[in-house]
Amino acid sequence: MKELQLGNEELSSGVEKRTSNIGLIFVGLTGGAAVAISAVCLPFVSPALRKVCLPYVPATTQQVENVLRALKGRSGTLVDLGSGDGRIVFAAAKNGFKADGIELNPWLIAYSRFTAIMRGLSSRVTFFRKDLWKFNLEKYDNVVIFGVQQMMDEVEEKFNSELKRDSLIVACRFPLPNLEPVAIFGHGVDTVWVYKSAASPKYTINFWTP
């Protein structure tokens, strides 16, 4: 009887050890997966601009549609500041613009360039890994900015000093603090505000609202 009891104890001890080992392996695998996922995702959610914290938040379908409505009747060159995965740039290119994207995140730049090739848009789009504040905007007819509130004063100053006459500015999520919008599309987080650069002469706005 004693030998049988000892055998049962040894068997129980062996099962506990195997269970413990399996638990450690599971923890190791899940921990490793978490680290791997973090390593992949971190570049996409890290700030895209260095002066302010501007995380990668993809534009919604409605936001893209509102931007295109704001650009109705426009043509020429366009730049999206903080272009993320390039969806605004691609939408603009499909509507006839020569479109550029400015982005600091190397993963998003690589993704956008790859997507441009896959969609056959490489001849109409360019993605630059640049700091917004060091990138000159003087050649652009149209500018799109998905900003955060803390940066809008300073980015407005940049627009005023660099954009040419008659350039159009489309601000998404947050308006420019001092310029008067010539049109507003959408509501809530999908709102876009449309401006003419401060250097522009008096003009008649041709935008329509539903």
Side-chain angles (χ1 to χ4, degrees):
M1 181 66 73
K2 182 179 286 188
E3 291 178 356
L4 179 59
Q5 185 177 0
L6 289 173
N8 288 337
E9 289 177 354
E10 290 175 357
L11 179 61
S12 176
S13 176
V15 171
E16 288 177 357
K17 286 181 179 179
R18 284 195 296 272
T19 303
S20 177
N21 289 337
I22 292 172
L24 290 173
I25 292 171
F26 178 76
V27 170
L29 289 174
T30 54
V35 171
I37 291 171
S38 298
V40 171
C41 293
L42 183 59
F44 287 89
V45 299
S46 61
L49 303 175
R50 291 172 182 164
K51 277 196 175 185
V52 295
C53 182
L54 184 57
Y56 166 55
V57 180
T60 66
T61 300
Q62 187 60 57
Q63 285 171 336
V64 175
E65 291 178 359
N66 288 342
V67 169
L68 293 179
R69 290 170 63 196
L71 293 169
K72 186 177 178 65
R74 299 286 298 182
S75 60
T77 55
L78 177 143
V79 62
D80 181 16
L81 304 177
S83 55
D85 61 7
R87 62 187 64 190
I88 294 291
V89 176
F90 297 135
K94 288 180 179 178
N95 281 268
F97 293 90
K98 179 65 178 72
D100 294 343
I102 307 302
E103 175 64 52
L104 268 180
N105 190 309
W107 291 75
L108 291 171
I109 287 289
Y111 176 83
S112 298
R113 289 172 177 171
F114 175 76
T115 303
I117 294 171
M118 297 302 293
R119 295 186 181 182
L121 293 171
S122 296
S123 63
R124 297 206 58 81
V125 304
T126 307
F127 292 95
F128 298 97
R129 185 169 181 252
K130 298 286 186 180
D131 186 334
L132 157 68
W133 307 106
K134 299 176 182 178
F135 189 85
N136 194 288
L137 304 174
E138 63 183 2
K139 74 174 185 177
Y140 293 102
D141 303 305
N142 308 276
V143 179
V144 179
I145 174 74
F146 277 76
V148 293
Q149 193 167 12
Q150 301 94 308
M151 70 181 289
M152 300 311 283
D153 271 299
E154 194 166 358
V155 81
E156 182 178 324
E157 292 178 9
K158 181 176 177 67
F159 291 157
N160 291 340
S161 64
E162 295 181 10
L163 289 177
K164 56 189 177 182
R165 294 167 67 88
D166 203 40
S167 290
L168 190 80
I169 303 163
V170 181
C172 309
R173 296 199 179 105
F174 292 95
L176 297 176
N178 301 305
L179 289 180
E180 188 71 24
V182 296
I184 300 174
F185 297 96
H187 60 275
V189 296
D190 294 326
T191 304
V192 302
W193 293 264
V194 187
Y195 305 88
K196 286 294 187 81
S197 66
S200 298
K202 295 294 182 180
Y203 54 85
T204 301
I205 187 67
N206 295 316
F207 293 109
W208 56 270
T209 55

